[in-house]
Amino acid sequence: MTTTTFSVDGMTCGNCVKHVTEELTALPGVQDVRVDLVAGGSSPVTVTSEGPLDDAAIAAAVDEAGYAVTPKGSLL
């Protein structure tokens, strides 16, 4: 199991969390997604998967949900 943590900008409510969670859960190998909602800020997201996830795939899934990964580290 691999755990990946990053932040997402723009989420303000439970519905936002739902959309991001659904998109990330659809990625191959993802077992669990946990979001700590910070309304008006960057919300930490932790994804547990069977193996390492591609940064571009994570960013694309978050973008598909209508939000953006906070530029930090290798996730741009």
Side-chain angles (χ1 to χ4, degrees), residues 2-34:
T2 301
T3 301
T4 306
T5 302
F6 53 93
S7 295
V8 174
D9 287 333
M11 293 189 291
T12 59
C13 65
N15 202 35
C16 300
V17 171
K18 176 184 170 194
H19 291 296
V20 169
T21 301
E22 286 175 351
E23 291 296 331
L24 289 169
T25 301
L27 293 175
V30 171
Q31 301 295 312
D32 186 53
V33 177
R34 302 219 183 252

Side-chain angles (χ1 to χ4, degrees), residues 7-13 35-45 67-68 70:
S7 295
V8 174
D9 287 333
M11 293 189 291
T12 59
C13 65
V35 178
D36 183 17
L37 182 63
V38 177
S42 291
S43 298
V45 178
Y67 305 94
T70 304

Side-chain angles (χ1 to χ4, degrees), residues 49-60:
S49 58
E50 294 173 352
L53 295 173
D54 180 61
D55 291 351
I58 292 171

